[in-house]
Amino acid sequence: MTYLDIHIIQSVPPSNINRDDTGSPKSATYGGVRRARVSSQAWKRATRKRFNLTLSSSDIGHRTKRVADLLGEHIVALDPAIDKTESQKLASDALKAAGIKLTTPKPAKNTPKDAPPLPDESGYLLFLSASQYHALAELALASLVPEGKIDAKAAKAVLQSKHSIDIALFGRMVADDAELNVDAAAQVAHAISVQAVEQEFDYFTAVDDAQERDHETGAGMIGTVEFNSSTLYRYANVNISGLLKNLGDPAATARAAAAFVESFALSMPTGKQNTFANRTVPEAVVVSVRDDQPINLVGAFENPISRSEGSSVVELASTQLVSRYNDIAQVYSAPSKTWVVAVGDASEPLAVLGERIPVAQLISEIEQVVQLSAGESR
């Protein structure tokens, strides 16, 4: 098997990009100290959202409970003569034939009695690709012939193929039928800070403009926002063999791997962005090709980094990352290839791992290497 390991060092200024249920920035204890943390779910969501900039709509899926409503829209797009009520019934029939259990949601209390029924919904978020919606819509329309019915075997086969790139990468779980599950080809770790952090509070006031006009004193509202700042170590990996299995095509596999690396590296969860304007890009992106197993290098930061005179946290983190990389390579195995994207203080320490290249070249080279690897493994 072939794997891509993606290691990222990224500084984030005062921010609260991923909150817990109390509104505080998420954190974790590692190496005996408190670290800033950004959950894997938050960064996977940000990565999926950024696919809209790097992939076509046909390569992107939709994760929703309102699957019958969306499928109904595809049916109407193929045959505008069908009204909304009939299209939603056809959609429900097609999804049920494929093995998806649906329920009709209860209308809101103020809904008029003569309002049309709400479209059926799945009991959980269901991840389907644009190609799967289109193919199911065609099956539904084909059933309109006299005494016709939706072919359950064909409907299920649609959901077992024609996966979008995001489904192939992040997987899909279908509670109703395990045969419709898709194993994720990409794994994303929780990002943690390389140094210990302390949570801080921003006390703010907001002025009432009309009150200010009348020369009245006092704030219109007051409050606090919790935040921290940190240098994060982020990690993810892609199983190229698993991605090829999900997509079935070396070219699509290469495009998916390259899109994932680019979107994962350049995305940012959106929590409190309007408050903190915390958008940054990584100081370092290190991508390795491995033939044994993916390896997270977080052990480089078990001892929290303390800034020393003349050295930045980024420089020290980069040095520690190189040390861990080399230790693993000497004791276990070395990657077959490594690329380095680095700026500022990360550039010199990481130069020993590989040629420093711009991110556009990184994405291009990843696509070429993955396509070659996927083609050989077919």
Side-chain angles (χ1 to χ4, degrees):
M1 289 188 178
T2 301
Y3 301 90
L4 289 182
D5 272 348
I6 304 104
H7 312 278
I8 294 175
I9 294 173
Q10 183 168 357
S11 291
V12 183
S15 58
N16 188 349
I17 60 177
N18 187 205
R19 307 188 291 275
D20 64 18
D21 58 334
T22 68
S24 301
K26 288 186 176 180
S27 63
T29 299
Y30 183 67
V33 300
R34 190 183 200 183
R35 314 289 184 112
R37 176 174 67 91
V38 181
S39 72
S40 60
Q41 296 93 326
W43 231 302
K44 282 190 282 189
R45 171 67 175 170
T47 301
R48 282 184 53 225
K49 293 290 285 183
R50 199 182 185 282
F51 282 158
N52 292 316
L53 300 179
T54 56
L55 297 170
S56 69
S57 58
S58 61
D59 287 326
I60 300 173
H62 299 276
R63 190 174 65 174
T64 180
K65 292 182 178 182
R66 298 172 55 189
V67 282
D69 196 18
L70 261 65
L71 181 53
E73 292 177 4
H74 280 263
I75 290 171
V76 171
L78 290 177
D79 187 351
I82 294 180
D83 65 31
K84 186 174 182 179
T85 300
E86 184 179 7
S87 71
Q88 289 176 351
K89 181 182 183 306
L90 282 171
S92 294
D93 291 344
L95 289 162
K96 290 174 183 177
I100 305 301
K101 293 180 181 177
L102 301 173
T103 58
T104 302
K106 293 181 179 179
K109 290 183 179 179
N110 58 350
T111 302
K113 292 184 179 180
D114 58 348
L118 295 171
D120 291 340
E121 294 182 353
S122 57
Y124 46 87
L125 294 173
L126 186 61
F127 210 173
L128 298 180
S129 70
S131 296
Q132 288 167 341
Y133 276 112
H134 184 80
L136 283 177
E138 290 181 329
L139 281 176
L141 289 171
S143 72
L144 292 177
V145 298
E147 299 183 3
K149 65 176 183 178
I150 297 173
D151 186 333
K153 186 175 181 180
K156 190 170 185 176
V158 166
L159 299 194
Q160 293 174 318
S161 60
K162 301 180 181 297
H163 300 308
S164 60
I165 282 177
D166 47 1
I167 292 175
L169 283 164
F170 296 119
R172 178 179 70 202
M173 188 186 77
V174 179
D176 301 328
D177 190 342
E179 291 184 3
L180 300 179
N181 290 348
V182 179
D183 292 331
Q187 297 176 339
V188 177
H190 290 240
I192 64 168
S193 63
V194 301
Q195 77 274 59
V197 300
E198 295 291 337
Q199 308 286 45
E200 300 182 68
F201 292 86
D202 175 36
Y203 171 81
F204 67 88
T205 64
V207 175
D208 186 318
D209 292 342
Q211 179 176 291
E212 185 180 41
R213 181 195 62 196
D214 295 334
H215 305 290
E216 296 181 23
T217 60
M221 66 172 292
I222 59 174
T224 58
V225 176
E226 199 168 355
F227 67 93
N228 60 36
S229 59
S230 62
T231 297
L232 298 171
Y233 169 68
R234 301 169 49 203
Y235 169 77
N237 66 68
V238 182
N239 179 341
I240 301 304
S241 300
L243 189 56
L244 176 61
K245 178 183 176 182
N246 289 345
L247 292 172
D249 175 64
T253 300
R255 189 169 74 254
F260 175 79
V261 173
E262 180 179 7
S263 293
F264 178 64
L266 297 179
S267 61
M268 173 73 76
T270 57
K272 291 289 183 180
Q273 273 195 5
N274 290 340
T275 300
F276 292 102
N278 53 257
R279 192 68 184 251
T280 61
V281 293
E283 278 76 15
V285 180
V286 178
V287 180
S288 295
V289 179
R290 302 194 64 92
D291 300 319
D292 50 359
Q293 68 174 56
I295 297 179
N296 187 325
L297 299 181
V298 70
F301 312 111
E302 181 181 6
N303 292 322
I305 289 175
S306 297
R307 187 180 183 279
S308 59
E309 189 67 31
S311 296
S312 69
V313 172
V314 167
E315 182 180 1
L316 294 171
S318 300
T319 301
Q320 289 295 102
L321 187 68
V322 169
S323 177
R324 184 69 173 181
Y325 176 104
N326 289 331
D327 287 346
I328 295 293
Q330 291 173 9
V331 176
Y332 294 98
S333 64
S336 58
K337 187 170 182 60
T338 295
W339 299 279
V340 174
V341 175
V343 297
D345 290 344
S347 300
E348 185 176 347
L350 292 173
V352 298
L353 298 185
E355 178 188 3
R356 180 185 168 200
I357 59 176
V359 71
Q361 184 180 343
L362 169 69
I363 302 310
S364 177
E365 293 198 17
I366 287 173
E367 189 163 359
Q368 293 175 34
V369 168
V370 170
Q371 183 159 358
L372 179 62
S373 174
E376 290 175 347
S377 63
R378 290 194 74 181

